[in-house]
Amino acid sequence: MTTRYSISPREYAAMNTAQLRENFLLEELFSPGMLQLVYTHYDRIIVGSAVPSAGEIALAEKKLGAEFFLERRELGVINIGGNGKITVDGKEYTLENRGCLYIGRGARDIVFTSNDSKNPAQFYLNSAPAHRHYPTVHIPQNRAIRTALGTKDQCNERVIFKYILPGNAKSCQLVMGLTTLAAGSVWNTMPCHTHECRAEAYLYFDIAPEQRIFHLMGYENETRHLVIGDRQGVLSPPWSIHSGVGTQCYSFIWGMCGENQDFDDMQAFNF
């Protein structure tokens, strides 16, 4: 598990492009046969992946100062690969592509497997500290709260699938979902906004190898950008906007944790 420390607006303002990428971009998250975890100091969210290409992968990490990974944490998982299974303390859950699993605090043994090693599952993970236990819940995409936003004229027609949040799957603080842009639409999260009380992480995917996303961050009156490829993530501090535009339509997973779980708690800006 690697660590990303918190960056203040003052430090950020003095960074060059390479330093921005080093501190905010999660460039290589998915590797066959590996569990990869990034511990961040933004509300202590852990971002990671498990790609069980040959055999199983167990969720284990000894650097948390806990007896087991979810002793004092909760976990959200969304599969963006082939069909797979997650076994939670002996109970098996099947996750198809874009299926989600919320795993509550206290689950001890978490194991990831793929149905087909030639088309492995690609499990994307978000984990946040948790003060109590909530039941593990399987949330296929058709059980997510579906919200259509945007217009073709503004190139931001999109569908938001809300998986883990009040009213759909109870959690302590983790909120997680997925957004898919329609063909011909390229802008996400407009108008842009900040969450003063919550940190957020994005994972961009469904991007062709030759295409890219330009992710905007920073203060609304002094933005910077990161150039992002397929299956790469970005960390968004509470003080930073988080928006982007692509050279084609795409999808992204968003995960938040912090002071509250109010999806609409944001400070919006118009450039």
Side-chain angles (χ1 to χ4, degrees), residues 63-234:
K63 295 182 181 178
L64 292 176
E67 185 179 348
F68 53 96
F69 191 92
L70 294 184
E71 183 179 10
R72 294 186 297 272
R73 284 184 162 270
E74 59 188 356
L75 176 68
V77 184
I78 295 178
N79 181 17
I80 60 170
N83 293 348
K85 296 181 177 64
I86 304 177
T87 303
V88 181
D89 290 338
K91 184 173 181 179
E92 190 175 273
Y93 300 87
T94 297
L95 258 67
E96 298 180 347
N97 184 269
R98 302 191 180 219
C100 176
L101 187 69
Y102 169 78
I103 305 173
R105 169 182 165 170
R108 182 179 287 267
D109 297 314
I110 317 296
V111 178
F112 303 97
T113 57
S114 295
N115 291 6
D116 182 358
S117 61
K118 295 180 180 180
N119 181 29
Q122 299 188 42
F123 297 111
Y124 176 66
L125 318 177
N126 282 179
S127 175
H131 62 274
R132 61 161 291 178
H133 165 78
Y134 284 106
T136 295
V137 180
H138 176 212
I139 315 156
Q141 190 173 47
N142 61 11
R143 283 194 53 208
I145 298 174
R146 186 182 187 277
T147 303
L149 292 175
T151 66
K152 290 183 179 179
D153 289 345
Q154 295 181 339
C155 301
N156 66 353
E157 187 178 20
R158 62 201 187 274
V159 176
I160 301 175
F161 297 91
K162 303 172 186 177
Y163 290 98
I164 303 171
L165 80 171
N168 202 53
K170 290 183 178 180
S171 65
C172 287
Q173 62 167 318
L174 182 65
V175 176
M176 199 171 180
L178 185 155
T179 299
T180 296
L181 276 71
S185 286
V186 292
W187 281 99
N188 76 66
T189 320
M190 294 297 286
C192 66
H193 58 263
T194 59
H195 304 289
E196 282 293 338
C197 297
R198 292 179 292 174
E200 187 162 5
Y202 273 18
L203 175 77
Y204 288 101
F205 67 106
D206 283 349
I207 304 168
E210 69 278 10
Q211 305 295 324
R212 290 294 182 269
I213 305 298
F214 293 80
H215 179 88
L216 303 177
M217 62 178 302
Y219 287 129
E220 76 282 358
N221 59 352
E222 192 176 355
T223 60
R224 313 276 289 279
H225 71 269
L226 297 170
V227 181
I228 297 178
D230 189 48
R231 287 170 166 75
Q232 293 183 347
V234 61

